[in-house]
Amino acid sequence: MSENPVWDESRIQSFITEGNEENTRLEYKRPESLQKTDSKKKEIRKDISAMANAAGGIIIYGVSEFSDPTKKHLPEKIMPIKRSEISREWLDQVISHIKPTIKDCKIHPVDIGDDPEDVVYVVEVPQGITAHQADDCKYYRRRNTTTDTLDHYEIVDIMNRNIHADVEVEFSYKPAVTSAEVHVYDLSIQIHNLGPLVEHYQLDFTFRFLDDFSFNNLNVGSEYDPKLGEVHIKRVIINSDNVLFPNQIVDLSNDYRIRYKVKNNIYWAYEANSPIISWTIYADQMQPKKGIVEFQELNCF
């Protein structure tokens, strides 16, 4: 990652002003995330190793998120850390215990206001060239705004990142129309080529939903899934029109409009952790990857 532009208070504030939402490559942490306890040290290593095992990114320590569930994952304000309590050297030492060591991980102390004690730490995490292990001897990976443990095949894929294909998919949403009774969302899909090879891909996913679901302004009909015994299954298959180059990210929202509507009765019909999307992504020279997205990740009703 490049160190330009320079990290300063105005740049941190721009993340808040512009409402830059957390995603696979961006995470905000309150000051209490940096404490000199064993549990907090383990959490730091888990978060940073998970980001390195994904696409790399930025963790900003000293920015809080809104507690309002309708604004979850959005930055609210700067909450500086006291430099004398948590130093750059201490944080660097904590991170250095990740196994194996993450090369080129950079910590930027950002001065806040006029008090020389007030600081925000921006950690730039590069994508790892192998899989990195947390303190509990597990491997993690950041997906959207959450951190999950890796399956064995995913660990192998990451360890072979320099020679094997590695394509990842990320689902999120953008509010289109909102009212007290109805929220309309556009489904956002990003495809990341994390490996060194030029790739074609196919994304095959089902949307388990009780109401309308449209693809490029056409309503998608329901299918019956004999394994699940469900009829509220909308299936979408997207094939790449062009190759995906190494380190390239393609936002499918630029070419496909996928829209769904969450009404009051729909909201209460689902539990927060109900799987709403089941996906499989295929790419040249890569074992198919599968995953789910939970209902709570695709609405702010």
Side-chain angles (χ1 to χ4, degrees):
M1 293 183 184
S2 172
E3 292 189 68
N4 296 316
V6 173
W7 285 103
D8 56 19
E9 184 174 0
S10 63
R11 187 177 177 193
I12 300 292
Q13 187 60 48
S14 72
F15 277 64
I16 299 169
T17 305
E18 295 169 10
N20 290 342
E21 188 173 5
E22 285 190 319
N23 52 53
T24 300
R25 294 175 57 85
L26 175 63
E27 185 172 14
Y28 303 109
K29 292 288 187 180
R30 298 172 67 91
E32 51 265 35
S33 297
L34 298 183
Q35 295 181 21
K36 295 180 179 180
T37 64
D38 288 343
S39 61
K40 290 297 184 182
K41 291 177 185 177
K42 290 178 181 178
E43 194 70 21
I44 293 166
R45 293 174 188 133
K46 175 182 173 181
D47 291 335
I48 291 177
S49 64
M51 190 164 278
N53 287 338
I58 295 166
I59 300 179
I60 303 177
Y61 290 95
V63 171
S64 65
E65 301 166 64
F66 285 96
S67 57
D68 184 343
T70 65
K71 297 181 179 180
K72 59 184 179 182
H73 308 307
L74 290 172
E76 180 184 18
K77 60 184 178 181
I78 295 174
M79 298 181 67
I81 297 156
K82 293 300 180 183
R83 196 189 303 265
S84 60
E85 296 175 6
I86 301 295
S87 67
R88 174 182 180 174
E89 290 73 24
W90 177 85
L91 182 55
D92 184 57
Q93 185 179 34
V94 171
I95 295 171
S96 69
H97 283 78
I98 294 172
K99 298 178 182 178
T101 301
I102 301 173
K103 295 181 179 179
D104 299 323
C105 188
K106 297 181 174 66
I107 302 172
H108 302 277
V110 179
D111 294 328
I112 303 297
D114 297 326
D115 189 340
E117 274 282 281
D118 289 346
V119 66
V120 164
Y121 291 111
V122 178
V123 181
E124 290 190 350
V125 184
Q127 184 189 61
I129 60 174
T130 187
H132 297 277
Q133 191 179 66
D135 284 20
D136 57 4
C137 297
K138 293 181 180 179
Y139 294 87
Y140 296 90
R141 186 172 196 161
R142 186 165 172 81
R143 305 184 200 277
N144 298 329
T145 59
T146 60
T147 297
D148 298 329
T149 54
L150 291 173
D151 291 330
H152 174 71
Y153 81 89
E154 294 179 298
I155 298 170
V156 173
D157 282 346
I158 294 172
M159 287 182 171
N160 291 324
R161 194 171 260 168
N162 280 343
I163 57 174
H164 289 178
D166 188 9
V167 175
E168 189 67 83
V169 60
E170 176 183 336
F171 292 88
S172 59
Y173 68 94
K174 297 176 182 177
V177 180
T178 60
S179 68
E181 299 297 325
V182 178
H183 285 194
V184 178
Y185 301 113
D186 287 326
L187 184 65
S188 296
I189 307 172
Q190 288 192 333
I191 307 293
H192 301 217
N193 186 359
L194 306 178
L197 306 177
V198 175
E199 299 293 333
H200 286 281
Y201 63 87
Q202 180 188 81
L203 175 63
D204 183 345
F205 70 93
T206 56
F207 202 85
R208 306 178 188 184
F209 201 55
L210 300 171
D211 212 321
D212 292 342
F213 176 80
S214 65
F215 182 80
N216 284 345
N217 299 317
L218 296 176
N219 190 55
V220 178
S222 298
E223 297 182 8
Y224 178 75
D225 188 324
K227 293 182 180 179
L228 299 172
E230 295 182 16
V231 294
H232 303 292
I233 301 292
K234 292 71 158 75
R235 187 179 184 189
V236 174
I237 298 176
I238 299 175
N239 294 303
S240 58
D241 293 326
N242 302 300
V243 295
L244 194 63
F245 289 95
N247 298 316
Q248 185 178 4
I249 300 175
V250 172
D251 189 342
L252 298 184
S253 312
N254 295 330
D255 299 311
Y256 304 99
R257 183 177 181 182
I258 305 174
R259 178 164 284 191
Y260 57 102
K261 186 184 301 181
V262 178
K263 301 176 184 177
N264 189 59
N265 63 320
I266 296 291
Y267 178 79
W268 292 109
Y270 286 91
E271 294 182 4
N273 58 352
S274 297
I276 190 170
I277 289 179
S278 298
W279 57 266
T280 304
I281 190 164
Y282 306 88
D284 300 329
Q285 306 177 69
M286 182 186 82
Q287 290 292 320
K289 294 184 179 181
K290 300 177 183 289
I292 63 169
V293 182
E294 296 176 349
F295 180 63
Q296 62 185 345
E297 297 180 42
L298 291 183
N299 83 94
C300 58
F301 199 90

